[in-house]
Amino acid sequence: MKFDYDAQYFNPLHTLDCGQIFRFEPYQDGYKVFSADKVCYVHTDGNKTVVESEDCDYFYDYFDLNRDYSQIVNKATSYGIPLLTRSAQSCKGLRILHQNREEMIYSFIISQNNNIPRIKGIIGRICDGLGEKRQSPFGEYRTFPSSSTLAGADTEFYHTAGAGYRDRYIKDTAVKICAEGIARLESLDGEQLKCELLKYNGIGPKVADCIALFGFNKTDSFPVDTWIEKIYREDFNGTLKDRKKIAEYLKNQFGEYSGYVQQYLFYGKRINL
C-alpha cells in the first residue's frame, strides 16, 4: 500500500534530518522510517513524496499530513526575522512528526548531552538487543521495545549499549511507565505536561520540551539547546544567559507556532542558510 503528497510541503530529508527522529536509515532512493513496531519507506518521485507501508493510515498521521503547512510557512515568514524567513521558505517541506509517545520519552532521555550519531547508535543497539524481529517488504527490522521489556533489562545492558550515566534514567523511567502508564499525560496542556515530565528521573527542561513537542505535539514548546542558544544570541541579539528564560522569551514571541519556528531556526542554522 502507498500514498503520495505534494513534495513542496513534504521533504523527507528536511523532515528526518532536523533532530526530531533517530530511527531512520537510507534505503534505495529514500529512507526507511521506524516508529514503535512499524516501518515505512518514504521517497520523492518528481513533485510527489511517496510513502509505502503496510500501515498507511498510521504514517499519514505520523507525517502530520492532515495539516496545511503553507499557512505555517506564511506565519513564520511574517515575523520578519531573516534566518527564520530563509529557513521557512527553503525548508517548507519540513514537518513536525507525530511520533510514538513512549518511544520519544526514552529517545530524548538518551539525547541529553549527546550528539545525533551517538543517540542513533544507542537507540539502535537497544532495539537490536530488546526489540522484536519483524519482516517487512523493505527487509527485516527490529521494533522499539515495550516499556515492560525495557523495565525488565538491567542498567548494565543500557550502559553496555552506550547510554552511560543515562542507564539509570532509562531503567527508572521504564519502571515508572509500567506502574503508571502515560494516559494521564495525554490530556494535559503544554505547561502541565512539562511539569509532569520533569518528575521523571533524568528529564530536565529541554528534554521535557522535546518530548512535549515531538511526542505529544505541543507546538507551543520551544526546546533550547546549544544551537538555539547560539541563534538567540546571533539572530535575536539576545542577552539572557539562562536557557529556561530564553525558552520563555522565545515561546512568548511565537506562541502556538513555537515548535515550528524552533525547527526552522534549528535546521536552517545547521545547514548554513
Side-chain angles (χ1 to χ4, degrees):
M1 297 172 62
K2 64 182 179 180
F3 60 85
D4 59 51
Y5 197 86
D6 180 2
Q8 182 181 16
Y9 288 102
F10 182 13
N11 183 304
L13 173 62
H14 293 170
T15 297
L16 300 174
D17 194 41
C18 63
Q20 63 176 320
I21 176 177
F22 306 111
R23 287 211 301 145
F24 68 94
E25 61 187 47
Y27 178 72
Q28 294 183 1
D29 57 350
Y31 303 91
K32 283 193 284 188
V33 179
F34 309 95
S35 178
D37 59 348
K38 298 173 174 58
V39 61
C40 76
Y41 166 45
V42 57
H43 59 102
T44 299
D45 184 6
N47 62 358
K48 297 290 185 181
T49 291
V50 180
V51 178
E52 300 182 32
S53 178
E54 296 175 324
D55 299 281
C56 281
D57 288 345
Y58 178 89
F59 282 104
Y60 197 91
D61 176 71
Y62 177 88
F63 289 113
D64 198 24
L65 297 179
N66 286 305
R67 196 179 311 275
D68 180 2
Y69 272 61
S70 66
Q71 297 179 6
I72 295 169
V73 171
N74 289 339
K75 182 65 177 180
T77 59
S78 74
Y79 292 107
I81 299 167
L83 173 62
L84 179 56
T85 298
R86 294 194 304 273
S87 299
Q89 290 176 339
S90 299
C91 305
K92 61 180 62 174
L94 188 162
R95 307 184 75 88
I96 292 184
L97 303 173
H98 289 183
Q99 301 189 68
N100 179 271
R101 290 167 174 172
E102 290 190 20
E103 182 173 342
M104 286 301 93
I105 291 172
Y106 298 112
S107 295
F108 280 96
I109 285 175
I110 291 167
S111 78
Q112 60 181 290
N113 299 316
N114 220 337
N115 60 59
I116 290 175
R118 285 198 72 243
I119 298 163
K120 292 178 70 173
I122 294 165
I123 294 172
R125 287 186 287 275
I126 290 173
C127 291
D128 286 343
L130 299 177
E132 296 179 11
K133 187 183 295 186
R134 297 280 178 89
Q135 296 292 334
S136 81
F138 324 113
E140 184 179 283
Y141 71 100
R142 294 278 183 169
T143 66
F144 192 88
S146 67
S147 287
S148 60
T149 299
L150 292 169
D154 57 32
T155 55
E156 181 59 29
F157 169 80
Y158 300 115
H159 197 83
T160 301
Y165 67 88
R166 307 165 197 85
D167 55 4
R168 172 53 60 185
Y169 301 157
I170 300 169
K171 173 76 173 184
D172 289 352
T173 296
V175 171
K176 182 177 175 68
I177 289 177
C178 283
E180 301 175 358
I182 63 167
R184 62 191 174 82
L185 302 178
E186 296 174 2
S187 61
L188 302 178
D189 66 27
E191 285 305 311
Q192 292 171 331
L193 174 61
K194 184 174 176 179
C195 287
E196 287 300 310
L197 289 170
L198 290 171
K199 296 177 182 178
Y200 285 71
N201 191 12
I203 294 182
K206 182 258 183 178
V207 168
D209 275 328
C210 287
I211 294 168
L213 178 58
F214 303 128
F216 290 81
N217 201 233
K218 302 299 184 183
T219 57
D220 59 349
S221 304
F222 208 115
V224 175
D225 65 353
T226 303
W227 281 97
I228 295 297
E229 190 172 3
K230 176 182 173 69
I231 291 164
Y232 167 74
R233 303 201 190 291
E234 294 181 354
D235 298 275
F236 290 79
N237 297 314
T239 58
L240 295 170
K241 304 294 185 184
D242 182 80
R243 284 188 179 180
K244 182 177 180 181
K245 292 181 179 179
I246 294 172
E248 290 173 356
Y249 168 80
L250 293 169
K251 180 178 173 180
N252 288 336
Q253 287 275 95
F254 302 110
E256 64 181 315
Y257 290 90
S258 292
Y260 305 106
V261 169
Q262 193 267 2
Q263 285 289 271
Y264 291 138
L265 291 171
F266 175 84
Y267 192 60
K269 198 72 164 180
R270 277 186 60 203
I271 63 174
N272 295 314
L273 286 177

